[in-house]
Amino acid sequence: MRTTQDLENAGLDLSPSALPSRRALVFLNEKARSVAPNVQRVIEALKSRNIDVVRSKIPKRSALPGIIDAHRDAVDLVIVGGGDGTLNCVLQGLVGSGLPLGLLPLGTANDLAKTLDIPSDLDAACDVIAHGHTRRIDVGRVNDAYFFNEASVGLSVALCRALTREAKARFGVLALLYNAIVLLLKMRRFHAHVRMDGGDELVVRTAQLTLGNSRNFGGFLATDDAQIDDRLLDLYSVGFEHGWSYFDAFRALLQRRYDEARSVFTLHGKRFEVKTRRPKHIEADGEIVTSTPAVFQVVPRAITVFVPEPAPAPSA
């Protein structure tokens, strides 16, 4: 696929109408708070950039792999307009398809878009797709479900259940923060048996056990060292054992230094086995997808995504 730089080097016209013509399977989650009023604008913006739109509303999760597979030889890319939950649904059919992914960040947290520096402005996001610069990224897998940002056991599962579509549509991130605070006051800790990369088993007492793949999840920032193409998953366990641990965890969040926080237990590896005394639900990218016992593992360079072109290196 030719990029903007290829066209520029060839001395060709870089106006939107002169960009290479491509055919895109476009999924728009019209239940997301910012999608419904922008559907026509999205279609027109893509068409003006020589992207022929094949539209499909978000169906049931079980139907998505079949839809993507049916179109894999008839389209050049897949474009998703919605939040991280919508992206997670599409991801289940995208892995193995060979189709690159374009992001239109129209959800609540837009964690993947933030990790990849996709602009929140709709026209600018369309420009990123049209210009064709790509990056290969890792995804995570928990049992049979893939995820972009994180997969978790504990507090976040309760948060998924508490956050209604209506609340997200009306209040956005404020609904996320409000429900998180309410659930923190009611939470119950549990014991998780964790084995990393086939090593010795560890037992942690936790309220929230998260396996992160990227630098953003749940509207929060991971450690500065976390990257979406480092071929690692990052485990974060927060127990909230004492009153001071709330402040310690919040300070770690602000500083993005979880490895040094007394209230946060961290590990970094490729494969994690997690068991709990009773089966506990697991959410991934805001969708409840499976339950413990579970195997979490990184799938290196699984997806190609359109991203902004890096700034040119300063001349010496």
Side-chain angles (χ1 to χ4, degrees), residues 11-39:
L12 300 178
D13 185 1
L14 293 182
S15 62
S17 60
L19 292 170
S21 178
R22 289 171 293 168
R23 186 173 172 83
L25 179 60
V26 180
F27 292 104
L28 300 174
N29 180 13
E30 297 185 27
K31 294 180 180 178
R33 67 186 309 220
S34 301
V35 175
N38 285 300
V39 169

Side-chain angles (χ1 to χ4, degrees), residues 204-219:
V204 295
R205 190 166 185 254
T206 186
Q208 173 71 13
L209 187 72
T210 295
L211 277 298
N213 179 53
S214 71
R215 294 189 64 233
N216 296 268
F217 46 79

Side-chain angles (χ1 to χ4, degrees), residues 33 50 80 106 116 120 155 164 184 186 191-192 197 265 307:
R33 67 186 309 220
N50 272 1
V80 180
L106 294 169
L116 298 174
S120 57
L155 180 65
T164 64
L184 273 172
K186 300 178 180 179
H191 287 93
D197 294 339
F265 175 73
V307 298

Side-chain angles (χ1 to χ4, degrees), residues 68-305:
I68 293 174
D69 186 61
H71 287 82
R72 64 188 300 172
D73 296 324
V75 298
D76 302 298
L77 65 154
V78 174
I79 297 174
V80 180
D84 294 300
T86 305
L87 280 165
N88 182 270
C89 291
V90 172
L91 175 61
Q92 309 312 310
L94 196 61
V95 174
S97 71
L99 295 170
L101 174 66
L103 305 181
L104 301 177
L106 294 169
T108 302
N110 299 313
D111 288 319
L112 182 61
K114 291 174 183 175
T115 292
L116 298 174
D117 296 322
I118 306 297
S120 57
D121 177 78
L122 187 56
D123 286 314
C126 289
D127 283 339
V128 168
I129 298 169
H131 290 165
H133 186 78
T134 60
R135 177 181 174 184
R136 295 283 290 183
I137 65 171
D138 305 336
V139 301
R141 181 175 178 176
V142 53
N143 292 344
D144 293 325
Y146 296 100
F147 60 92
F148 278 118
N149 304 306
E150 56 78 35
S152 302
V153 187
L155 180 65
S156 60
V157 173
L159 187 58
C160 280
R161 290 171 168 162
L163 274 176
T164 64
R165 284 196 180 100
E166 292 75 15
K168 290 174 70 174
R170 185 172 182 181
F171 300 110
V173 175
L174 290 178
L176 182 71
L177 293 174
Y178 171 78
N179 281 279
I181 292 170
V182 170
L183 290 168
L184 273 172
L185 300 176
K186 300 178 180 179
M187 68 184 175
R188 305 178 80 177
R189 289 181 286 275
F190 61 94
H191 287 93
H193 298 252
V194 179
R195 189 188 303 275
M196 183 185 78
D197 294 339
D200 294 336
E201 183 176 276
L202 303 171
V203 181
V204 295
R205 190 166 185 254
T206 186
Q208 173 71 13
L209 187 72
T210 295
L211 277 298
N213 179 53
S214 71
R215 294 189 64 233
N216 296 268
F217 46 79
F220 299 108
L221 289 169
T223 175
D224 278 331
D225 294 332
Q227 300 294 331
I228 202 166
D229 54 4
D230 60 6
R231 305 190 179 202
L232 292 173
L233 296 180
D234 305 296
L235 179 146
Y236 308 89
S237 172
V238 187
F240 298 109
E241 296 279 354
H242 309 286
W244 60 262
S245 64
Y246 289 87
F247 299 100
D248 185 53
F250 185 66
R251 181 179 63 181
L253 173 65
L254 292 178
Q255 296 177 343
R256 284 176 277 172
R257 295 177 180 268
Y258 301 98
D259 289 345
E260 302 171 11
R262 289 183 295 169
S263 61
V264 184
F265 175 73
T266 60
L267 289 171
H268 312 283
K270 299 178 183 298
R271 187 178 189 275
F272 294 84
E273 300 170 47
V274 176
K275 299 177 182 178
T276 53
R277 188 163 65 92
R278 292 191 181 94
K280 297 186 74 67
H281 289 299
I282 297 171
E283 64 82 14
D285 297 337
E287 301 288 316
I288 297 176
V289 296
T290 187
S291 59
T292 57
V295 174
F296 300 77
Q297 55 193 322
V298 67
V299 185
R301 298 174 58 84
I303 296 291
T304 300
V305 187

